Amino acid sequence: MSFAAAALKLEDLKTAPFDPRFPNTNQTRYCYQSYVDYYRCQKIRGKDYAPCEYFKKVFHSVCPNAWVEKWDAQREEGTFPGNI
Amino acid sequence: MFTWKTMLLQDSASPLMEQLTFFHDHTLLILIIITVLVGQLMLTLFTNKYIHRYLLEGQTIEIIWTVLPAITLIFIAVPSLRLIYILDEINSPMITIKSIGHQWYWSYEYSDFKNIEFDSYMIPIDEMKPWNFRLLDVDNRITVPYESQIRMIITAADVIHSWTIPSLGVKIDATPGRLNQTSFIINRAGLFFGQCSEICGANHSFMPIVIESITPNFFIKWISKMTEI
């Protein structure tokens, strides 16, 4: 990939914002809730509904990749405990 | 090696650590005053020949030596509370970095743009270059932009670890199954070192943490380069 194609700008640096639902040091729920919200949003509004992508950005920023992989596997097997 | 500089707090590289250093010095000053005062009182008790055979109570002096320590404690408690709430604050972070403690290394994930993942192992003594710090340098450093709000998400994969950078005033437990959050701003470019601070097994002493602080523009370049690999 050429450098020009991959060039990021300083303004592109964006991350999951502060969420007043999770004001504490413990952010476990922020990650989990965003993950559930994303797939629930897709289930209700359809796969192409752009506003759902916000949750995806958030849980990718906050959740460890190993957790996301584990939950993805659970969803495929139908053993994911959350309400999607 | 133990030197004068290792006796005290490290030079601060973040606004939070500056405040923590001020608080430390302020509290130490009060402690020294109390120690000298009590020491002097005890010494005079041993060396003088005063007696007061019928002394049972002295309301005035008792009120004084109850109220004065209470006031002194307020002078420690109020700045301490102020600091504890400032430490919890995350404003609007520019990037989020995830740090996962393993037995016995740290792994890092930058997932705001593309997904960057790497492990950070200590450089063993027999592979050290002359400019490396023994037991402190790692093969892959965490690169962060300075003068930017950084959010760290800390967790662990096996046992409890603790992620620490003394000169940034950051220390937070890495607990399996839980995401802990902390944030900091680095004042300047440089390398900042820390070590795992929770006994996590045989190689607990050999999983250091190194932050490389660079300009935001170079950070962008670094990110772009990392996503190409």
Side-chain angles (χ1 to χ4, degrees):
Chain A
M1 198 203 295
S2 74
F3 183 75
L8 274 157
K9 285 192 208 78
L10 210 54
E11 305 87 73
D12 298 337
L13 292 184
K14 273 200 194 100
T15 189
F18 170 77
D19 190 323
R21 290 176 298 170
F22 313 103
N24 309 101
T25 302
N26 186 354
Q27 295 288 304
T28 321
R29 195 83 192 178
Y30 190 16
C31 149
Y32 176 78
Q33 196 62 51
S34 305
Y35 182 86
V36 173
D37 283 349
Y38 176 61
Y39 287 103
R40 189 157 177 78
C41 177
Q42 279 206 332
K43 186 182 162 196
I44 293 169
R45 312 305 293 258
K47 288 236 190 288
D48 302 323
Y49 191 63
C52 293
E53 297 305 306
Y54 170 79
F55 296 116
K56 190 180 178 183
K57 277 203 73 126
V58 170
F59 85 72
H60 272 297
S61 283
V62 178
C63 296
N65 295 340
W67 292 22
V68 175
E69 284 161 23
K70 186 177 139 197
W71 291 337
D72 285 345
Q74 285 179 343
R75 274 190 311 110
E76 271 172 36
E77 288 173 19
T79 53
F80 186 73
N83 179 24
I84 291 179
Chain B
M1 192 181 71
F2 185 77
T3 61
W4 284 104
K5 271 217 134 172
T6 57
M7 280 182 69
L8 296 165
L9 296 170
Q10 289 184 14
D11 287 349
S12 71
S14 83
L16 279 180
M17 191 58 209
E18 272 165 29
Q19 292 295 313
L20 287 166
T21 312
F22 288 147
F23 178 64
H24 168 268
D25 296 351
H26 161 85
T27 312
L28 210 64
L29 217 65
I30 294 174
L31 290 188
I32 289 167
I33 292 167
I34 293 171
T35 314
V36 169
L37 184 79
V38 174
Q40 202 264 342
L41 284 175
M42 286 169 68
L43 218 66
T44 48
L45 277 177
F46 283 123
T47 51
N48 72 43
K49 288 195 159 52
Y50 296 147
I51 46 164
H52 195 154
R53 288 175 68 192
Y54 305 107
L55 177 72
L56 286 174
E57 58 177 325
Q59 292 292 346
T60 323
I61 190 70
E62 280 170 14
I63 285 170
I64 292 171
W65 72 41
T66 309
V67 171
L68 273 187
I71 292 171
T72 315
L73 285 177
I74 290 172
F75 275 97
I76 301 176
V78 170
S80 168
L81 282 172
R82 168 183 165 272
L83 252 179
I84 206 167
Y85 285 113
I86 293 177
L87 287 175
D88 256 357
E89 200 78 39
I90 43 153
N91 300 311
S92 48
M94 195 172 95
I95 54 166
T96 304
I97 303 171
K98 290 168 276 175
S99 168
I100 297 118
H102 301 262
Q103 279 176 318
W104 288 278
Y105 61 96
W106 294 96
S107 66
Y108 298 97
E109 294 172 3
Y110 295 66
S111 314
D112 290 340
F113 351 88
K114 302 251 176 62
N115 197 28
I116 300 171
E117 275 182 76
F118 57 87
D119 298 337
S120 180
Y121 283 91
M122 187 191 78
I123 298 177
I125 295 169
D126 47 336
E127 289 169 27
M128 259 171 58
K129 298 278 186 308
W131 56 82
N132 283 144
F133 289 113
R134 190 179 70 96
L135 305 184
L136 223 48
D137 259 311
V138 295
D139 52 0
N140 292 309
R141 297 168 180 152
I142 324 154
T143 305
V144 296
Y146 62 64
E147 287 177 355
S148 322
Q149 185 86 35
I150 319 281
R151 173 205 270 144
M152 290 296 302
I153 299 277
I154 317 281
T155 186
D158 32 50
V159 298
I160 305 181
H161 301 269
S162 182
W163 196 88
T164 324
I165 298 284
S167 58
L168 304 179
V170 173
K171 174 174 283 176
I172 191 158
D173 270 11
T175 314
R178 175 181 162 128
L179 304 176
N180 279 328
Q181 169 182 263
T182 186
S183 77
F184 54 82
I185 299 170
I186 306 182
N187 284 339
R188 57 186 170 83
L191 289 180
F192 304 101
F193 295 89
Q195 289 172 305
C196 180
S197 301
E198 178 70 54
I199 303 284
C200 59
N203 289 338
H204 160 68
S205 315
F206 309 117
M207 44 183 295
I209 300 142
V210 186
I211 284 191
E212 184 179 339
S213 167
I214 55 176
T215 69
N217 283 328
F218 275 108
F219 176 75
I220 298 286
K221 284 187 182 164
W222 179 80
I223 283 285
S224 311
K225 212 181 114 216
M226 288 294 279
T227 44
E228 276 174 50
I229 299 168

